[in-house]
Amino acid sequence: MEMTVNIKLNNKLFLRNPDESELGKKILQYSIILIHRIGFEAFTFKKLAAEIGTTEAGVYRYFENKHRLLLYLVDWYWSWQEYRLIYATNNISDPTEKLSIAIKLLSTSVEDDTSTSYIDEKLLFEIVIMEGAKSYLTRHVTEDNKHRLFKPYKDLCARIADIILECNPTYKYPRSLASSAIEMAHSHNFYVKHLPSLTDFNSLNTTHNVPDFIEDMVFSVIRIP
Amino acid sequence: MEMTVNIKLNNKLFLRNPDESELGKKILQYSIILIHRIGFEAFTFKKLAAEIGTTEAGVYRYFENKHRLLLYLVDWYWSWQEYRLIYATNNISDPTEKLSIAIKLLSTSVEDDTSTSYIDEKLLFEIVIMEGAKSYLTRHVTEDNKHRLFKPYKDLCARIADIILECNPTYKYPRSLASSAIEMAHSHNFYVKHLPSLTDFNSLNTTHNVPDFIEDMVFSVIRIP
DNA sequence: TACAAATGATAGCAATACTATCGTAAATAA
DNA sequence: TTATTTACGATAGTATTGCTATCATTTGTA
């Protein structure tokens, strides 16, 4: 059986829906490749257009600016992670096991998922680690938030907060803990790679790793040994 | 008795030391005000120059570019926080109390500290929350790191990691926990203000707050009730 | 009094972040 | 079939950004 996952995103993210045309899909595909290669700061619509053989104006027909494109990619990523979490925890009743799965899914690098042809999930994972925070660290967070542009991230946080409450209904800070765990899953992957002295891991010694640390943290906090 | 704290920073951060001249101090003072007002993205040396009545080229004589200036401010901030931590924990022997003080210092907004005339610590605190991550989320992290430009941050992390180890010498992830706590101190202040659904606090209900959550987290993890 | 250092003033330039217009090809409706 | 929308390519243009360079003037130091 062949099947594809189609992730629908808030239509305020784009001017023309990129997943409904060949050019649109190419914009998504090559923006991931190019941002991954040169970084979001150096990334421009002109360079992207040259990469895929269209013009700058052509890209502007799909996205207002590169920040909106980043938001699209980040939202896609969080929606995809939520889908993976639902899929991976299906039929599992033990909430601690669900939590453990969630932590592993979020903090472990992935292989390119073949279910979507034009999105390279491995590259996207690395982009979200490196550039993800820039999607909300702006002057217009509040406005973007009103337009529900952070909904996928919040939905995932809420889902994990629910699992935390299932584990321990008396824990006082489920949402804060959920968002912290998700952020740590990314930030510590960044630290391991770029600022290893901020962690207790190194790429050689694999006895300790990021998901182990986060699991230890989360389960300690909600008092599950 | 009057005294001033003078923070010396890595001289690779600047071309000409800004704290050794009137113009340099004005650059620091007004860059904080301007970045706080319009955000780091919209901030330019031209606008800064106009603000303080000098020219664009004048600012470039002190800092290579605006990213280096941000790094200067962020490094200044972390050095200042480490100084505050040393000062506030002086003569305290109980490591759990030291840890508690550290968490409060890092996660609670400050009033403008009068010990430095040209740096507004309250504004700087808010800048580091909003823009701090951009100091290391770049293509040149590795190079900047080689030049020791993140040393103040790492020093503070190491100091807190040491306190964590004093509390519990068997805890496996002291550095990861320290860097996480510091980051959470900032990120959750950001969430409370801009994305409150990611937290369990709100500005009205002050029964729960950011330092309480982080304390609960840290002490749970190192198994101190 | 001489000299170097710091600053001010101005110019210029390539790249960025757009916006606008126009022609054409392909898909769709009448 | 023809008419018409739509999507795209091509080109042009503009304000701003992110610098670098030059030269004159002021200011502090020897």
mmCIF file of all heavy atoms in Angstrom, chain B residues 86-112:
data_model
loop_
_atom_site.group_PDB
_atom_site.id
_atom_site.type_symbol
_atom_site.label_atom_id
_atom_site.label_comp_id
_atom_site.label_asym_id
_atom_site.label_seq_id
_atom_site.Cartn_x
_atom_site.Cartn_y
_atom_site.Cartn_z
ATOM 1 N N ILE B 86 27.985 35.634 42.328
ATOM 2 C CA ILE B 86 29.088 35.538 43.290
ATOM 3 C C ILE B 86 28.798 36.411 44.505
ATOM 4 O O ILE B 86 28.928 35.994 45.650
ATOM 5 C CB ILE B 86 30.420 35.960 42.628
ATOM 6 C CG1 ILE B 86 30.807 34.941 41.550
ATOM 7 C CG2 ILE B 86 31.533 36.080 43.659
ATOM 8 C CD1 ILE B 86 31.952 35.395 40.665
ATOM 9 N N TYR B 87 28.367 37.620 44.227
ATOM 10 C CA TYR B 87 28.075 38.580 45.281
ATOM 11 C C TYR B 87 26.957 38.060 46.184
ATOM 12 O O TYR B 87 27.057 38.090 47.411
ATOM 13 C CB TYR B 87 27.689 39.911 44.648
ATOM 14 C CG TYR B 87 27.551 41.042 45.629
ATOM 15 C CD1 TYR B 87 28.665 41.802 45.986
ATOM 16 C CD2 TYR B 87 26.316 41.347 46.186
ATOM 17 C CE1 TYR B 87 28.536 42.846 46.885
ATOM 18 C CE2 TYR B 87 26.190 42.382 47.089
ATOM 19 C CZ TYR B 87 27.299 43.139 47.430
ATOM 20 O OH TYR B 87 27.185 44.160 48.314
ATOM 21 N N ALA B 88 25.878 37.578 45.567
ATOM 22 C CA ALA B 88 24.688 37.187 46.333
ATOM 23 C C ALA B 88 24.882 35.891 47.104
ATOM 24 O O ALA B 88 24.153 35.621 48.062
ATOM 25 C CB ALA B 88 23.485 37.065 45.399
ATOM 26 N N THR B 89 25.829 35.071 46.684
ATOM 27 C CA THR B 89 26.016 33.788 47.366
ATOM 28 C C THR B 89 27.258 33.790 48.262
ATOM 29 O O THR B 89 27.617 32.756 48.820
ATOM 30 C CB THR B 89 26.139 32.635 46.348
ATOM 31 O OG1 THR B 89 27.239 32.904 45.469
ATOM 32 C CG2 THR B 89 24.872 32.459 45.557
ATOM 33 N N ASN B 90 27.876 34.936 48.351
ATOM 34 C CA ASN B 90 29.052 35.067 49.200
ATOM 35 C C ASN B 90 28.678 34.735 50.647
ATOM 36 O O ASN B 90 27.660 35.189 51.152
ATOM 37 C CB ASN B 90 29.590 36.497 49.096
ATOM 38 C CG ASN B 90 30.930 36.650 49.792
ATOM 39 O OD1 ASN B 90 31.692 35.677 49.871
ATOM 40 N ND2 ASN B 90 31.208 37.844 50.261
ATOM 41 N N ASN B 91 29.520 33.922 51.293
ATOM 42 C CA ASN B 91 29.310 33.543 52.699
ATOM 43 C C ASN B 91 28.139 32.595 52.917
ATOM 44 O O ASN B 91 27.755 32.344 54.060
ATOM 45 C CB ASN B 91 29.103 34.777 53.590
ATOM 46 C CG ASN B 91 30.381 35.581 53.699
ATOM 47 O OD1 ASN B 91 31.471 35.003 53.712
ATOM 48 N ND2 ASN B 91 30.240 36.894 53.760
ATOM 49 N N ILE B 92 27.545 32.120 51.826
ATOM 50 C CA ILE B 92 26.478 31.125 51.995
ATOM 51 C C ILE B 92 27.084 29.751 51.753
ATOM 52 O O ILE B 92 27.718 29.519 50.722
ATOM 53 C CB ILE B 92 25.307 31.391 51.028
ATOM 54 C CG1 ILE B 92 24.585 32.657 51.480
ATOM 55 C CG2 ILE B 92 24.356 30.202 50.976
ATOM 56 C CD1 ILE B 92 23.495 33.101 50.561
ATOM 57 N N SER B 93 26.891 28.854 52.713
ATOM 58 C CA SER B 93 27.558 27.559 52.579
ATOM 59 C C SER B 93 26.624 26.489 52.011
ATOM 60 O O SER B 93 27.057 25.599 51.294
ATOM 61 C CB SER B 93 28.103 27.102 53.934
ATOM 62 O OG SER B 93 27.057 27.144 54.887
ATOM 63 N N ASP B 94 25.329 26.620 52.307
ATOM 64 C CA ASP B 94 24.391 25.601 51.833
ATOM 65 C C ASP B 94 24.223 25.676 50.307
ATOM 66 O O ASP B 94 23.706 26.668 49.784
ATOM 67 C CB ASP B 94 23.033 25.828 52.523
ATOM 68 C CG ASP B 94 21.990 24.822 52.075
ATOM 69 O OD1 ASP B 94 22.361 23.849 51.377
ATOM 70 O OD2 ASP B 94 20.802 25.002 52.418
ATOM 71 N N PRO B 95 24.643 24.637 49.596
ATOM 72 C CA PRO B 95 24.566 24.699 48.128
ATOM 73 C C PRO B 95 23.140 24.795 47.590
ATOM 74 O O PRO B 95 22.916 25.417 46.554
ATOM 75 C CB PRO B 95 25.233 23.401 47.679
ATOM 76 C CG PRO B 95 25.217 22.505 48.866
ATOM 77 C CD PRO B 95 25.261 23.386 50.065
ATOM 78 N N THR B 96 22.168 24.211 48.307
ATOM 79 C CA THR B 96 20.790 24.320 47.809
ATOM 80 C C THR B 96 20.300 25.760 47.893
ATOM 81 O O THR B 96 19.550 26.223 47.024
ATOM 82 C CB THR B 96 19.820 23.413 48.596
ATOM 83 O OG1 THR B 96 19.750 23.854 49.953
ATOM 84 C CG2 THR B 96 20.284 21.967 48.562
ATOM 85 N N GLU B 97 20.768 26.442 48.914
ATOM 86 C CA GLU B 97 20.387 27.849 49.009
ATOM 87 C C GLU B 97 21.038 28.658 47.890
ATOM 88 O O GLU B 97 20.414 29.541 47.285
ATOM 89 C CB GLU B 97 20.805 28.391 50.386
ATOM 90 C CG GLU B 97 20.032 29.641 50.790
ATOM 91 C CD GLU B 97 20.525 30.225 52.121
ATOM 92 O OE1 GLU B 97 20.970 29.442 52.990
ATOM 93 O OE2 GLU B 97 20.472 31.453 52.264
ATOM 94 N N LYS B 98 22.292 28.340 47.607
ATOM 95 C CA LYS B 98 22.984 29.008 46.498
ATOM 96 C C LYS B 98 22.247 28.796 45.178
ATOM 97 O O LYS B 98 22.055 29.725 44.394
ATOM 98 C CB LYS B 98 24.419 28.459 46.380
ATOM 99 C CG LYS B 98 25.382 29.029 47.398
ATOM 100 C CD LYS B 98 26.821 28.826 46.966
ATOM 101 C CE LYS B 98 27.465 27.639 47.664
ATOM 102 N NZ LYS B 98 28.876 27.453 47.323
ATOM 103 N N LEU B 99 21.823 27.557 44.982
ATOM 104 C CA LEU B 99 21.114 27.224 43.739
ATOM 105 C C LEU B 99 19.806 27.998 43.644
ATOM 106 O O LEU B 99 19.443 28.529 42.585
ATOM 107 C CB LEU B 99 20.860 25.716 43.713
ATOM 108 C CG LEU B 99 20.566 25.047 42.376
ATOM 109 C CD1 LEU B 99 21.511 25.526 41.298
ATOM 110 C CD2 LEU B 99 20.644 23.535 42.532
ATOM 111 N N SER B 100 19.129 28.070 44.753
ATOM 112 C CA SER B 100 17.871 28.791 44.794
ATOM 113 C C SER B 100 18.073 30.267 44.466
ATOM 114 O O SER B 100 17.303 30.872 43.703
ATOM 115 C CB SER B 100 17.271 28.620 46.190
ATOM 116 O OG SER B 100 16.040 29.280 46.271
ATOM 117 N N ILE B 101 19.131 30.839 45.026
ATOM 118 C CA ILE B 101 19.443 32.240 44.737
ATOM 119 C C ILE B 101 19.766 32.429 43.257
ATOM 120 O O ILE B 101 19.285 33.367 42.604
ATOM 121 C CB ILE B 101 20.629 32.700 45.616
ATOM 122 C CG1 ILE B 101 20.175 32.830 47.080
ATOM 123 C CG2 ILE B 101 21.190 34.035 45.109
ATOM 124 C CD1 ILE B 101 21.316 33.033 48.056
ATOM 125 N N ALA B 102 20.554 31.522 42.718
ATOM 126 C CA ALA B 102 20.928 31.607 41.298
ATOM 127 C C ALA B 102 19.691 31.623 40.404
ATOM 128 O O ALA B 102 19.575 32.439 39.493
ATOM 129 C CB ALA B 102 21.825 30.427 40.931
ATOM 130 N N ILE B 103 18.768 30.735 40.696
ATOM 131 C CA ILE B 103 17.557 30.640 39.877
ATOM 132 C C ILE B 103 16.755 31.940 39.951
ATOM 133 O O ILE B 103 16.265 32.436 38.932
ATOM 134 C CB ILE B 103 16.709 29.424 40.300
ATOM 135 C CG1 ILE B 103 17.433 28.130 39.901
ATOM 136 C CG2 ILE B 103 15.324 29.468 39.682
ATOM 137 C CD1 ILE B 103 16.873 26.873 40.527
ATOM 138 N N LYS B 104 16.653 32.484 41.133
ATOM 139 C CA LYS B 104 15.898 33.742 41.273
ATOM 140 C C LYS B 104 16.576 34.887 40.535
ATOM 141 O O LYS B 104 15.922 35.685 39.859
ATOM 142 C CB LYS B 104 15.715 34.087 42.749
ATOM 143 C CG LYS B 104 14.464 33.456 43.324
ATOM 144 C CD LYS B 104 14.003 34.075 44.612
ATOM 145 C CE LYS B 104 12.928 33.189 45.215
ATOM 146 N NZ LYS B 104 13.432 31.823 45.545
ATOM 147 N N LEU B 105 17.885 34.957 40.675
ATOM 148 C CA LEU B 105 18.618 36.032 39.997
ATOM 149 C C LEU B 105 18.432 35.978 38.484
ATOM 150 O O LEU B 105 18.294 37.009 37.827
ATOM 151 C CB LEU B 105 20.117 35.926 40.311
ATOM 152 C CG LEU B 105 20.595 36.405 41.672
ATOM 153 C CD1 LEU B 105 22.099 36.248 41.783
ATOM 154 C CD2 LEU B 105 20.217 37.874 41.885
ATOM 155 N N LEU B 106 18.436 34.761 37.963
ATOM 156 C CA LEU B 106 18.406 34.618 36.502
ATOM 157 C C LEU B 106 17.015 34.754 35.910
ATOM 158 O O LEU B 106 16.868 35.122 34.751
ATOM 159 C CB LEU B 106 18.998 33.261 36.100
ATOM 160 C CG LEU B 106 20.504 33.135 36.321
ATOM 161 C CD1 LEU B 106 20.942 31.678 36.234
ATOM 162 C CD2 LEU B 106 21.253 33.989 35.299
ATOM 163 N N SER B 107 15.994 34.454 36.688
ATOM 164 C CA SER B 107 14.659 34.392 36.098
ATOM 165 C C SER B 107 13.763 35.554 36.485
ATOM 166 O O SER B 107 12.628 35.635 36.038
ATOM 167 C CB SER B 107 13.981 33.068 36.457
ATOM 168 O OG SER B 107 13.872 32.927 37.851
ATOM 169 N N THR B 108 14.285 36.455 37.313
ATOM 170 C CA THR B 108 13.460 37.568 37.769
ATOM 171 C C THR B 108 13.963 38.871 37.167
ATOM 172 O O THR B 108 15.163 39.130 37.145
ATOM 173 C CB THR B 108 13.491 37.663 39.306
ATOM 174 O OG1 THR B 108 13.252 36.369 39.852
ATOM 175 C CG2 THR B 108 12.433 38.615 39.812
ATOM 176 N N SER B 109 13.033 39.654 36.683
ATOM 177 C CA SER B 109 13.392 40.950 36.112
ATOM 178 C C SER B 109 14.100 41.807 37.146
ATOM 179 O O SER B 109 13.875 41.678 38.343
ATOM 180 C CB SER B 109 12.133 41.669 35.620
ATOM 181 O OG SER B 109 12.480 42.937 35.136
ATOM 182 N N VAL B 110 14.976 42.670 36.665
ATOM 183 C CA VAL B 110 15.751 43.498 37.567
ATOM 184 C C VAL B 110 15.397 44.961 37.385
ATOM 185 O O VAL B 110 14.901 45.369 36.346
ATOM 186 C CB VAL B 110 17.253 43.329 37.296
ATOM 187 C CG1 VAL B 110 17.734 41.989 37.819
ATOM 188 C CG2 VAL B 110 17.545 43.468 35.812
ATOM 189 N N GLU B 111 15.684 45.728 38.379
ATOM 190 C CA GLU B 111 15.614 47.179 38.226
ATOM 191 C C GLU B 111 16.945 47.655 37.650
ATOM 192 O O GLU B 111 17.961 46.982 37.780
ATOM 193 C CB GLU B 111 15.366 47.828 39.588
ATOM 194 C CG GLU B 111 13.960 47.617 40.097
ATOM 195 C CD GLU B 111 12.907 47.966 39.044
ATOM 196 O OE1 GLU B 111 12.896 49.116 38.558
ATOM 197 O OE2 GLU B 111 12.101 47.087 38.702
ATOM 198 N N ASP B 112 16.927 48.798 37.023
ATOM 199 C CA ASP B 112 18.179 49.349 36.495
ATOM 200 C C ASP B 112 19.161 49.514 37.649
ATOM 201 O O ASP B 112 18.904 50.212 38.613
ATOM 202 C CB ASP B 112 17.912 50.692 35.802
ATOM 203 C CG ASP B 112 19.189 51.287 35.226
ATOM 204 O OD1 ASP B 112 20.197 50.560 35.126
ATOM 205 O OD2 ASP B 112 19.163 52.474 34.874
#
